[in-house]
Amino acid sequence: MDAEFNRTYITLGGYVGVDKYGYLYFVILLALYLLILCTNLTIIYVICIHRNLHEPMYIFIAALSVNSVLFSTTIYPKLFIDVLSQRQIISHSACMFQYFMFYSLSTSDILLLSAMAYDRYVSICKPLQYSTIMGRITVTVLLTVAWLIPAVKVAVAIVVNSKQKLCDFTTDGFFCNNKVYRLYCVQSTFLNLYGLISMLNVVAVPAILIIFTYIKIFIITYHSCFEVRKKATETCLPHLMVLMCWFFLCVFDVISARLESDLPKSVHVIMSLQVVVYGPLFNPIIYGVKMKEISKHIKRLLCHLSTKSI
């Protein structure tokens, strides 16, 4: 076992009724995956081809959609295989890769949302300095930080954890999240402390920044004219909706990872599905419907496609 544990296969025991409803699950998951790809790729395409959308706010939205595509592609294809298989297993290395993508991209989302909050703050509270503050270099640095820091933090945890041995080989989830830590023989004190510090750095600090920026935005818009309040509502409301969605997804993930294993599997499935469906699917829908400029270009694209097909 000492020489082989990194090649160990882990059983994903969170599936319910695969023998009876496997094909139904496959159709539902495939429909969700295709819908996620279509909505997010549409957002990315519209932002890329229209020069008036080459602004920081829309660039961050496109980055969120890129994250959603990568996140879904990491999770869903494996689900397709599992619901049609007699045994739902995953290799230890593949599980760690899925874990890495899951948490690095999820953490990247909150940093991108923080960058968007800062962008809205500068746009509304310091409009005359906006072009200077939110220049190309600033946007590039914010994107780099949002993608690089989470990847490094999660990678460090995985490298340290790779030295731990497995004593259990069955997790009650259907993809690799924090539940995999229950499989190790010894719980690492260093990793627990590292995880707490990392959470404070990449979750608590951005949350404080977001709260601060929106308090400032609220104060400024409250004392401004109707047009300023209208503009702030149009751009900030979708952002707040996505933030609330991200917050609840984090709560679902934390709760599902901490739930006792004797609870019904259906509860675990429902909790886990919140994480892999809501964010990747709702984000592009919210921005596509609520963001006026994006919505306008999407409608034109759909009209062009329908006219061309006729």
Side-chain angles (χ1 to χ4, degrees):
M1 177 64 70
D2 291 346
E4 298 289 333
F5 85 95
N6 275 330
R7 295 194 292 273
T8 299
Y9 281 87
I10 297 170
T11 300
L12 302 171
Y15 288 87
V16 178
V18 172
D19 294 338
K20 293 182 179 180
Y21 307 111
Y23 289 104
L24 177 61
Y25 292 161
F26 177 83
V27 172
I28 294 173
L29 290 171
L30 180 61
L32 286 172
Y33 181 57
L34 292 177
L35 187 58
I36 288 169
L37 288 184
C38 289
T39 52
N40 282 285
L41 291 176
T42 298
I43 294 290
I44 295 169
Y45 173 77
V46 166
I47 292 174
C48 285
I49 67 170
H50 292 96
R51 295 186 64 84
N52 68 316
L53 298 182
H54 293 179
E55 298 179 6
M57 177 176 62
Y58 300 112
I59 292 173
F60 294 136
I61 292 174
L64 283 173
S65 288
V66 170
N67 277 8
S68 294
V69 171
L70 294 175
F71 177 89
S72 301
T73 303
T74 302
I75 302 295
Y76 279 85
K78 183 65 173 71
L79 297 182
F80 300 155
I81 296 171
D82 287 340
V83 297
L84 297 179
S85 302
Q86 293 183 346
R87 294 185 62 195
Q88 292 75 41
I89 60 175
I90 185 171
S91 68
H92 184 266
S93 57
C95 185
M96 290 299 98
F97 175 75
Q98 197 176 67
Y99 177 94
F100 169 78
M101 295 296 289
F102 181 90
Y103 285 106
S104 63
L105 292 173
S106 298
T107 307
S108 174
D109 280 351
I110 187 61
L111 295 182
L112 288 171
L113 291 170
S114 301
M116 291 174 67
Y118 178 69
D119 173 74
R120 292 300 83 206
Y121 164 75
V122 176
S123 175
I124 294 170
C125 301
K126 300 181 179 181
L128 298 179
Q129 303 173 23
Y130 180 78
S131 58
T132 302
I133 296 175
M134 295 301 296
R136 181 177 297 180
I137 295 177
T138 303
V139 173
T140 302
V141 169
L142 290 175
L143 287 174
T144 302
V145 168
W147 276 319
L148 186 60
I149 289 181
V152 171
K153 285 184 175 293
V154 178
V156 169
I158 290 176
V159 169
V160 173
N161 208 49
S162 65
K163 300 178 181 179
Q164 303 292 323
K165 295 181 181 180
L166 294 171
C167 282
D168 192 3
F169 304 95
T170 301
T171 177
D172 57 358
F174 54 87
F175 60 90
C176 294
N177 60 1
N178 276 325
K179 292 181 181 180
V180 299
Y181 284 122
R182 297 178 182 175
L183 306 181
Y184 292 99
C185 302
V186 179
Q187 297 296 317
S188 172
T189 303
F190 169 78
L191 281 178
N192 290 333
L193 181 61
Y194 178 80
L196 177 62
I197 295 174
S198 296
M199 182 173 291
L200 290 174
N201 287 339
V202 299
V203 176
V205 173
I208 293 172
L209 173 64
I210 291 169
I211 292 171
F212 170 78
T213 55
Y214 272 96
I215 289 175
K216 295 290 289 185
I217 289 172
F218 176 78
I219 293 173
I220 293 294
T221 55
Y222 181 78
H223 296 287
S224 301
C225 64
F226 173 76
E227 288 299 322
V228 174
R229 290 197 295 269
K230 181 180 178 182
K231 179 184 176 182
T233 301
E234 288 178 351
T235 58
C236 294
L237 182 60
H239 185 241
L240 287 173
M241 293 171 67
V242 171
L243 272 170
M244 291 177 62
C245 180
W246 187 91
F247 172 77
F248 284 118
L249 292 182
C250 285
V251 171
F252 278 128
D253 180 64
V254 171
I255 292 175
S256 65
R258 299 294 186 272
L259 285 175
E260 296 297 329
S261 58
D262 58 350
L263 288 176
K265 283 187 178 181
S266 57
V267 175
H268 292 282
V269 172
I270 292 172
M271 297 296 289
S272 298
L273 280 176
Q274 317 297 317
V275 180
V276 299
V277 173
Y278 286 172
L281 184 58
F282 286 1
N283 288 4
I285 292 177
I286 290 172
Y287 285 123
V289 172
K290 293 296 184 179
M291 297 295 289
K292 185 176 179 181
E293 287 298 317
I294 295 178
S295 177
K296 179 177 66 177
H297 287 299
I298 290 176
K299 289 177 181 178
R300 288 178 180 174
L301 176 62
L302 294 176
C303 289
H304 175 71
L305 292 175
S306 61
T307 303
K308 194 172 182 180
S309 62
I310 295 174

